[in-house]
Amino acid sequence: MIKVLLADDQILVRAGFRALLDAQSDIEVVGEASDGEEAVAQAKRLRPDVILMDIRMPGLDGLAATRKIADDERLDGVRIVILTTFELDEYVFEALRGGASGFLVKDTEPVELIHAVRAVAAGDALLSPSVTRRLIAEFAARAKEPSPSPRLNSLTDREREVMALVGEGLTNEEIAARLVVSPATAKTHVSRTMVKLGARDRAQLVVFAYESGIVKPGWLP
């Protein structure tokens, strides 16, 4: 059973999500929060598998709440999905950097929301190739020139190559096709790279790829 915590200051939004998710045989909404402080407290108390976190909430916002939860070692197993009204919300990049596993726009189709919860609970990131390219390129282009990270020294050439492909938004299957290896081998390379860099999940690996200069912004046409 996938345990979900809903964090949104709009009661109707929470009610709609709860009705949809509770109707699934493998998903249970275990709690709700109307602001960031409550979300952090509920996360500690309930230890959900997935938190659907709105960014704009009174008091402690979703971005700050995401950082607090991601920084708490006791909550390593908690995955956070940011909810936003706009696909390119200015805070989404910071949320991913802070530890979120991805994001959804609030007008997402019900079937996509259900898929998202299951995918994140399984350890995947909610970053489609098109959104990854637009989102990361947009904000990384504003960042300062990255300095070489000593953590990159632990990566093999193949792992650097794999991280660059993850940074472009490719799935394991697409990486496998690009490198002419099996999907299982591609997945192993991705997993080892995440472990070496201390990335919580695939989303943070994408951010690190840009921040370290492995993938450079501005490659869009």
Side-chain angles (χ1 to χ4, degrees):
M1 187 68 73
I2 300 170
K3 298 184 295 182
V4 178
L5 172 65
L6 304 175
D8 195 297
D9 61 338
Q10 298 182 45
I11 297 176
L12 286 178
V13 170
R14 298 201 308 269
F17 284 169
R18 175 182 278 277
L20 176 65
L21 296 174
D22 274 345
Q24 310 306 308
S25 61
D26 60 335
I27 300 174
E28 177 188 9
V29 176
V30 294
E32 298 183 18
S34 59
D35 58 51
E37 289 287 4
E38 189 177 3
V40 173
Q42 292 274 50
K44 292 177 180 178
R45 185 174 69 87
L46 300 170
R47 304 292 175 90
D49 300 301
V50 179
I51 300 176
L52 297 181
M53 180 88 74
D54 188 24
I55 284 184
R56 293 181 172 86
M57 293 186 289
L60 190 73
D61 63 20
L63 179 57
T66 293
R67 284 183 180 140
K68 280 195 170 188
I69 292 169
D71 288 343
D72 191 330
E73 293 182 357
R74 296 167 299 176
L75 302 177
D76 276 349
V78 177
R79 296 290 175 257
I80 300 171
V81 177
I82 296 296
L83 299 172
T84 178
T85 306
F86 304 103
E87 205 171 69
L88 286 181
D89 189 298
E90 64 186 84
Y91 297 110
V92 168
F93 182 69
E94 289 300 324
L96 295 176
R97 176 186 280 160
S101 295
F103 69 97
L104 289 171
V105 289
K106 285 189 175 181
D107 60 357
T108 293
E109 293 292 328
V111 67
E112 292 179 8
L113 175 66
I114 295 168
H115 168 75
V117 169
R118 289 173 177 153
V120 170
D124 295 330
L126 295 179
L127 294 173
S128 69
S130 63
V131 170
T132 298
R133 293 181 182 121
R134 285 161 43 211
L135 177 72
I136 306 296
E138 167 75 17
F139 292 100
R142 302 178 189 177
K144 293 181 291 185
E145 184 69 21
S147 56
S149 171
R151 285 188 290 178
L152 293 178
N153 296 333
S154 66
L155 300 182
T156 64
D157 290 341
R158 177 46 62 94
E159 287 165 349
R160 287 174 180 245
E161 189 176 10
V162 166
M163 185 166 76
L165 296 176
V166 171
E168 291 182 23
L170 272 62
T171 64
N172 287 345
E173 289 72 20
E174 291 167 337
I175 292 172
R178 182 78 66 89
L179 300 179
V180 196
V181 298
S182 71
T185 298
K187 183 177 181 180
T188 297
H189 284 312
V190 171
S191 298
R192 286 178 178 168
T193 303
M194 287 170 53
V195 169
K196 286 184 178 182
L197 297 176
R200 280 171 62 93
D201 56 25
R202 203 179 184 95
Q204 285 207 317
L205 193 58
V206 171
V207 172
F208 191 82
Y210 278 85
E211 291 189 327
S212 63
I214 289 288
V215 179
K216 298 185 183 302
W219 48 270
L220 288 178

